Amino acid sequence: MPTIGYFLSCEQFGPAELIDQAKRAEAAGFDALWISDHFHPWNDEQGQSPFVWGVIGALSQVTSLPVSTAVTCPTIRIHPAIVAQAAATAAVQLDGRFVLGVGSGEALNEHVLGDRWPSVGQRLEMLEEAIDVIRLLHKGDEISHHGKHYEVQEARIYTLPDKPVPIYVSGFGPQAAKFAGRVGDGYVLAMPSAELVDTFRKAGGGDKPVQAGTKVSWDKDADNALKTAHRLWANEALPGQAAQILPRPRDFADLMSLVPPDQVAESVACGPDPDKHAQQVREYFEAGIDEVYVQQIGPDMAGFFSAWERDVLPQLRK
């Protein structure tokens, strides 16, 4: 049976809210959790950005659901050796129910230490070396690594899970999907693209798991739901490489004014109609995606979880 999980958005909610949502998600019958890893939100209206590893530690104490980062960039802002230690600890805390989702990142989060923002090709090269470093450290031996991008000297991680942490790779285009198929233990994407899933599988992904995230805006008033979705998440409709290259939340806010509400409505189920919410998720499963994680954008969490437990999850699981 496909996995239906809940997406914890660190861009929009503070630590206590995220923990509350995780508990509500488990009680409502969701199967797993996704959590984003950001230094900045996409825009100031979203307004949050807690440190993901602190939140994951708290999650391990309140839920029995598996947790995946969606996704962590282990290349610039945080050295891959430190990400390796953080992921190992998270896996121990969660009794092995942890997946490290990684990606090549966005300037929004990775420019904050003053590093140059590399080209796409170089970012993938850095990501591959970072994954190698993480996997080496997760073997538990003392290692030294002298690579093109990273140096690790006589390092050993002592707190390790029983099995190596699975590393799923994010990719939103054909080049990145092929890369994920070659190096990842799974694949992460944010759109119901059968073509990208097929590219991943043919490039070496085989029958490895594919995860994807999506957003809905549940509200009794459909118009209000759309207004909320547009105000907070119109950035997701920006074309081209904007999401990768813009450095500040205010830059995204400036461009969001160019996105009409109707465009947001095309990808975000807005309002209380359970069939509309269920159909949005079905599109992902029909594209061959194994695990779909849903974020509630609107403020009525009680209404969302109640409606999904009663009207949406049962029809998706028929």
Side-chain angles (χ1 to χ4, degrees), residues 51-257:
F51 188 55
V52 69
W53 301 107
V55 179
I56 289 173
L59 288 174
S60 73
Q61 302 303 298
V62 300
T63 180
S64 63
L65 297 181
V67 177
S68 301
T69 53
V71 291
T72 289
C73 178
T75 61
I76 298 176
R77 173 171 46 106
I78 303 180
H79 192 284
I82 306 304
V83 174
Q85 184 188 26
T89 298
V92 170
Q93 290 174 309
L94 288 157
D95 295 324
R97 304 183 312 276
F98 178 71
V99 168
L100 176 63
V102 299
S104 59
E106 303 92 14
L108 175 73
N109 301 304
E110 305 307 316
H111 83 283
V112 295
L113 302 180
D115 297 272
R116 181 183 67 84
W117 184 235
S119 66
V120 173
Q122 188 175 358
R123 296 204 304 270
L124 290 177
E125 183 181 85
M126 294 172 72
L127 180 58
E128 183 166 8
E129 186 179 337
I131 291 170
D132 288 342
V133 168
I134 293 167
R135 285 180 171 149
L136 278 171
L137 283 164
H138 281 178
K139 290 181 179 179
D141 302 321
E142 181 183 291
I143 73 154
S144 291
H145 170 88
H146 312 288
K148 182 176 179 179
H149 301 287
Y150 302 107
E151 181 81 13
V152 181
Q153 293 188 10
E154 300 163 345
R156 178 183 172 189
I157 294 176
Y158 282 81
T159 301
L160 287 166
D162 293 333
K163 297 179 180 178
V165 178
I167 300 177
Y168 292 10
V169 176
S170 171
F172 304 131
Q175 180 184 2
K178 291 177 182 177
F179 174 83
R182 182 169 59 83
V183 305
D185 298 314
Y187 180 37
V188 178
L189 71 166
M191 62 198 82
S193 172
E195 183 178 355
L196 287 176
V197 173
D198 186 58
T199 298
F200 163 76
R201 299 208 181 282
K202 288 180 178 177
D207 61 356
K208 294 175 183 177
V210 177
Q211 299 181 337
T214 191
K215 293 178 171 61
V216 302
S217 185
W218 192 96
D219 193 288
K220 292 179 181 178
D221 184 323
D223 290 337
N224 189 55
L226 179 55
K227 289 177 183 176
T228 301
H230 183 262
R231 176 174 61 84
L232 291 169
W233 287 98
N235 59 280
E236 293 211 329
L238 294 174
Q241 294 190 32
Q244 279 72 52
I245 63 175
L246 295 178
R248 302 173 302 177
R250 73 182 75 168
D251 298 321
F252 284 92
D254 289 342
L255 288 184
M256 281 166 59
S257 63

